[in-house]
Structure formats: C-alpha cells, structure tokens
Amino acid sequence: MERGTDRERAAVRDRWEAMERQRTLTTDLLAGLSLVAAGAIVLGLAAARGVCETSLRGHVLGCTPLAGSESALLLVAVGVAALVAGLCRCWRVART
C-alpha cells in the first residue's frame, strides 16, 4: 500500500511539473508575440510623417507633424529592439 501511494504521488508531481513547463512556454510565447506586435506598432509610428484630421466626407482639414527626426530615430531603435527581442523569445519557444 505504501509503495503505491509513493508512485501515485510521484506521478502527480511529474504531471504538475509537465503542466508548469507548458505554462512557462505559453507565457514566453505570449510575451514574445506581444513584443513583436509592440515593435511593429512603434515602427509604424516611426514611419508616419504626420497625423491628418479629416472630415466625414474625406476632406483633409489639417495635418500635424508626428515626430521630428530625432524622435523618429529613437522610435526606430525602440521598435527594432522590441521586434528582435520578441522574435528571439518566440524562436526559443519554438525550439523546445
């Protein structure tokens, strides 16, 4: 009776460890995909020249510059860093 209980406890412990590994991989994948999405959004903001306000009929009412060259360069650097970090996390999850 005692050995059966030990085997059951070991089986439950192994199952919990497997579930914890799966949960960790899922969390890493989600974090990687979030970083990739954030990097793509930041790169899109860096590429934008300005924000234009339009009327309901589609006429442009006025445009406001979004960022200067220095801040656009900073956005590109942050966007590329987030994109690379996200892709690395996703690659690490895909390899396991």
Side-chain angles (χ1 to χ4, degrees), residues 9-45:
R9 285 184 183 157
V12 168
R13 186 173 43 249
D14 290 343
R15 181 66 186 138
W16 274 104
E17 288 172 0
M19 287 173 51
E20 183 63 31
R21 281 192 303 272
Q22 184 65 30
R23 189 176 305 125
T24 301
L25 287 175
T26 303
T27 303
D28 285 346
L29 181 62
L30 194 59
L33 291 175
S34 298
L35 279 170
V36 167
I41 289 171
V42 170
L43 282 175
L45 287 173

Side-chain angles (χ1 to χ4, degrees), residues 43-73:
L43 282 175
L45 287 173
R49 297 284 179 226
V51 177
C52 294
E53 184 180 356
T54 59
S55 67
L56 292 175
R57 293 187 180 192
H59 300 319
V60 176
L61 300 175
C63 292
T64 304
L66 186 62
S69 61
E70 296 86 15
S71 51
L73 198 59

